[in-house]
Amino acid sequence: MINSYGAKAKVDPKDAKLSMAHFFVAFGALALGGLMGLLQTLVRSGKFELPLGIGYYQVLTAHGVLMGLVLTTFFIMGFQYAAVSRTAGTHSNAARTTGWVGFWLMTAGTLMSGTMILLNEASVLYTFYAPLQAHWIFYLGLTLVVVGSWVDGAAQIMTYAKWRRNNPGKPSPLLSFMAVINTVMWIVATIGVAATVLFQLLPWSLGLVDRVDVLVSRTLFWYFGHPLVYFWLLPAYMCWYAIIPKIIGGKIFSDSLARLSFILFLLFSIPVGFHHQLTEPGIDPAWKFFQVILTFMVVIPSLMTAFSLFATFERYGRGKGAKGLLGWFKVLPWNDARFIVPFIGMASFIPAGAGGIINASNQMDQVVHNTIWVTGHFHLTAATSVVLTFFGISYWLVPHLTGRKLTKAMNKLGIIQAWVWFIGMAFMSGAMHIQGLLGGPRRSAFSTYGDSQQALDWIPYQIAQAVGGTILFLGIILVVIIFINLAFFAPKGEEEFPVGEAENLDEKAPMVFENWKLWLGILTALILFAYTIPFIDIIQNAPPGSKGFKTW
Ligand code: HAS
Ligand code: CU
């Protein structure tokens, strides 16, 4: 089955330009956000105070927004745009213009929200929970980022739809299919955050209404907030499923399994937001229980992914003559940054995912909720598994787009970067997990809480976090150096966009996988089932809304 994996090797320079525009914003956000992260860990060590009246929560908001929202959204849109161009064909002029409109909307929104954070008008953290109230321009900026991402995503969908029209009856190229699943999931999910911002937070921050229903706002946020983390994860899975096999010289274990796991993510990522609200009063426990069951359903496609990756690695290794239970492990291409950087991400995802399962278990969440354990969890998932994979992708994708080569020296620096990151994160996230179990709160500046013994016991872990944060900042400097080199200075040449092939080329993915009416229908039914009754309940029994607070 030719062409299901895409045959084109060279990228259209106009497509390359749009992806690179996204990456410049993404890596700019990484550099700035990384500096903010360093400052936070230093403050929390108790040995450092921020100069010039800059607030801890201001820095924390900048860090979360830049890393969690800006870096991710821009990187993902740039990567998926390139992946669709690579596998479904060069984007049409119309799709490309759509992409640029999306990019500029997102960029304008980022500048608006960023400015308000810098002016200390929006120190509400990246989750912007009401009743903390930011300046309305902060919310408007976030709205533009979301609307821009819809437009940006539409460009990918247009090119995918064109491929389908030109190839009736054939399954679309795997990477394009995956990109579209992620985009569709994102569009359905962001309706929740758009609703709370447009109907609640904007009118309230503009002074048009006095009070806001906090629980409605948080529920709409988490309807979006959980799929948000899968929106980050799925591009990493795109790399693990469809790109890594080609890099190592192996095969995709099963094309259909990969597609099925993405469909399961589409179905189960959204109706699970209550697992972030397990300790919240005002939501019926029966509905929390139901959403926890669905949360465990969404673990399944990750287990399928782990299975399929192990299968790819093992079959590749045995093909090279590896013997014994784990002999295949040794023959993997350990000197190739394009492999090992994402691989460290994968390996980290085993403890990271286990931590997620702990969080999702109602009783255990009572222990860890609102502690810095949760911060440790998402620095392993998002800030290690996902982000190392993004770095690994950029080490071939940036030179592919700029017509340059990843030199031996940069390859080596990339590997060093990943180990630096891993070591820094082991200190930081490890200490966060332990301190969380000892009751250390998240989202809080340095305090000894009146010299209570418990708080004093946390301090060594906070120092370990500052050590880790400093090592991580070194990692940021390295990755920015590599990015600038690959964008501007590396020698001219050709770097491949690797796209794997399935082990069994006769395997034709069932066409039902691309029956969007069916999947969107089931998704809508699941969302309505998981949310309608509890939502009515929340609104009918709502306490009077809250006025806004500016605690900084
Ligand atoms: Fe989470 C909180 C549950 C995954 C991110 N999570 C968060 C927050 C963030 C986040 C940002 O149920 C904080 C939000 C806030 O600010 O309040 N999470 C889960 C569960 C999973 C999970 C069940 N989270 C993620 C991913 C994230 C992410 C992915 C970002 C990218 N999370 C929760 C819960 C909370 C939460 C609660 C709320 C806690 C609270 O109290 O507030 C699962 O999806 C995880 C499934 C993963 C696996 C691992 C599969 C392993 C694979 C690797 C294979 C490796 C190979 C390499 C082949 C089951 C695929 C071989 C290597 C060798 C060395 C041999
Ligand atoms: Cu979640």
Side-chain angles (χ1 to χ4, degrees):
M1 195 177 49
I2 14 159
N3 220 7
S4 175
Y5 305 96
K8 189 167 62 76
K10 270 217 157 167
V11 58
D12 184 296
K14 294 204 206 94
D15 281 350
K17 204 168 153 196
L18 180 52
S19 282
M20 281 306 292
H22 285 85
F23 294 160
F24 284 120
V25 180
F27 281 86
L30 175 72
L32 255 173
L35 179 64
M36 302 295 145
L38 172 67
L39 293 177
Q40 274 157 244
T41 55
L42 293 181
V43 170
R44 284 178 52 94
S45 74
K47 313 247 175 259
F48 174 81
E49 274 179 35
L50 288 165
L52 310 170
I54 300 171
Y56 174 81
Y57 297 100
Q58 190 182 1
V59 172
L60 181 54
T61 306
H63 175 72
V65 169
L66 284 170
M67 300 301 224
L69 305 178
V70 180
L71 159 68
T72 48
T73 311
F74 277 84
F75 185 89
I76 290 166
M77 286 297 164
F79 167 57
Q80 291 190 166
Y81 185 81
V84 172
S85 164
R86 167 73 173 81
T87 54
T90 305
H91 294 279
S92 66
N93 283 335
R96 199 175 299 123
T97 309
T98 309
W100 277 108
V101 171
F103 168 79
W104 283 114
L105 280 172
M106 295 203 307
T107 306
T110 301
L111 290 174
M112 285 162 68
S113 301
T115 308
M116 287 303 120
I117 298 170
L118 286 180
L119 294 175
N120 204 18
E121 292 286 345
S123 297
V124 291
L125 313 196
Y126 89 111
T127 41
F128 48 90
Y129 279 168
L132 289 178
Q133 192 183 54
H135 194 284
W136 60 270
I137 295 180
F138 173 80
Y139 298 119
L140 187 64
L142 291 182
T143 310
L144 288 186
V145 174
V146 167
V147 173
S149 71
W150 291 345
V151 179
D152 219 336
Q156 297 160 33
I157 295 177
M158 283 163 79
T159 304
Y160 162 83
K162 189 174 90 188
W163 193 97
R164 297 263 332 255
R165 273 197 308 277
N166 294 338
N167 298 276
K170 284 194 201 156
S172 58
L174 179 58
L175 271 175
S176 289
F177 173 78
M178 292 170 145
V180 170
I181 289 259
N182 201 24
T183 300
V184 169
M185 182 186 80
W186 175 248
I187 292 172
V188 179
T190 41
I191 294 170
V193 71
T196 177
V197 170
L198 286 179
F199 299 122
Q200 295 189 283
L201 304 179
L202 261 177
W204 174 63
S205 59
L206 280 163
L208 301 177
V209 294
D210 214 25
R211 292 179 175 269
V212 72
D213 185 321
V214 171
L215 188 54
V216 168
S217 169
R218 285 166 67 122
T219 304
L220 287 171
F221 181 88
W222 285 117
Y223 163 97
F224 149 82
H226 185 79
L228 168 70
V229 314
Y230 287 118
F231 172 67
W232 303 335
L233 181 70
L234 291 196
Y237 275 16
M238 287 165 67
C239 171
W240 299 357
Y241 269 118
I243 293 171
I244 290 288
K246 172 78 176 181
I247 290 176
I248 64 174
K251 297 280 185 214
I252 299 171
F253 172 68
S254 159
D255 176 292
S256 302
L257 180 145
R259 288 177 203 250
L260 178 62
S261 83
F262 268 59
I263 287 173
L264 293 177
F265 276 117
L266 174 66
L267 298 183
F268 295 114
S269 284
I270 302 176
V272 297
F274 285 172
H275 71 226
H276 293 268
Q277 298 176 283
L278 290 176
T279 63
E280 217 149 280
I283 303 173
D284 189 316
W287 289 102
K288 289 182 179 169
F289 179 68
F290 179 68
Q291 292 210 10
V292 160
I293 293 177
L294 292 178
T295 303
F296 280 90
M297 293 292 287
V298 81
V299 170
I300 292 171
S302 280
L303 295 175
M304 287 164 62
T305 306
F307 169 79
S308 159
L309 292 169
F310 275 113
T312 291
F313 294 149
E314 177 171 353
R315 289 157 96 92
Y316 162 76
R318 296 213 187 279
K320 293 223 119 187
K323 295 265 174 318
L325 187 60
L326 293 172
W328 50 271
F329 193 74
K330 291 196 212 109
V331 299
L332 291 168
W334 296 111
N335 294 323
D336 188 340
R338 301 172 310 160
F339 164 71
I340 180 164
V341 178
F343 184 87
I344 296 177
M346 284 177 207
S348 311
F349 201 49
I350 294 174
I357 293 170
I358 290 173
N359 299 343
S361 311
N362 181 57
Q363 287 85 336
M364 286 195 269
D365 190 53
Q366 314 301 311
V367 177
V368 299
H369 183 67
N370 275 343
T371 73
I372 199 161
W373 159 286
V374 174
T375 319
H377 162 67
F378 67 70
H379 280 83
L380 267 193
T381 49
T384 309
S385 303
V386 168
V387 125
L388 277 182
T389 304
F390 288 2
F391 294 166
I393 289 172
S394 60
Y395 295 161
W396 51 261
L397 182 53
V398 173
H400 171 77
L401 296 172
T402 55
R404 296 176 190 278
K405 288 273 332 155
L406 175 70
T407 55
K408 272 206 171 119
M410 283 300 135
N411 181 67
K412 198 161 182 191
L413 199 59
I415 296 176
I416 295 174
Q417 194 284 334
W419 283 115
V420 167
W421 198 269
F422 180 78
I423 293 166
M425 199 56 88
F427 273 101
M428 194 180 88
S429 176
M432 284 173 166
H433 277 93
I434 301 174
Q435 191 193 337
L437 291 180
L438 298 174
R442 67 181 284 206
R443 307 188 188 94
S444 63
F446 181 77
S447 170
T448 57
Y449 299 90
D451 288 337
S452 80
Q453 189 50 48
Q454 191 182 15
L456 295 177
D457 289 345
W458 296 332
I459 291 178
Y461 297 101
Q462 292 169 187
I463 292 175
Q465 287 157 35
V467 171
T470 310
I471 301 173
L472 281 163
F473 187 65
L474 241 157
I476 300 244
I477 295 176
L478 291 181
V479 76
V480 170
I481 292 175
I482 303 173
F483 175 74
I484 292 176
N485 175 278
L486 294 175
F488 298 112
F489 301 109
K492 290 275 175 195
E494 256 182 47
E495 196 65 56
E496 144 186 58
F497 186 136
V499 182
E501 283 185 348
E503 197 169 288
N504 176 2
L505 277 181
D506 296 329
E507 175 194 346
K508 181 170 178 274
M511 285 312 290
V512 66
F513 285 172
E514 291 184 70
N515 185 339
W516 294 98
K517 279 194 197 119
L518 174 68
W519 305 122
L520 286 174
I522 299 177
L523 173 60
T524 311
L526 270 174
I527 292 173
L528 288 178
F529 190 64
Y531 273 108
T532 309
I533 296 175
F535 218 84
I536 293 174
D537 196 29
I538 289 171
I539 292 175
Q540 279 183 343
N541 298 307
S546 173
K547 60 185 182 54
F549 287 88
K550 215 177 144 183
T551 49
W552 61 94

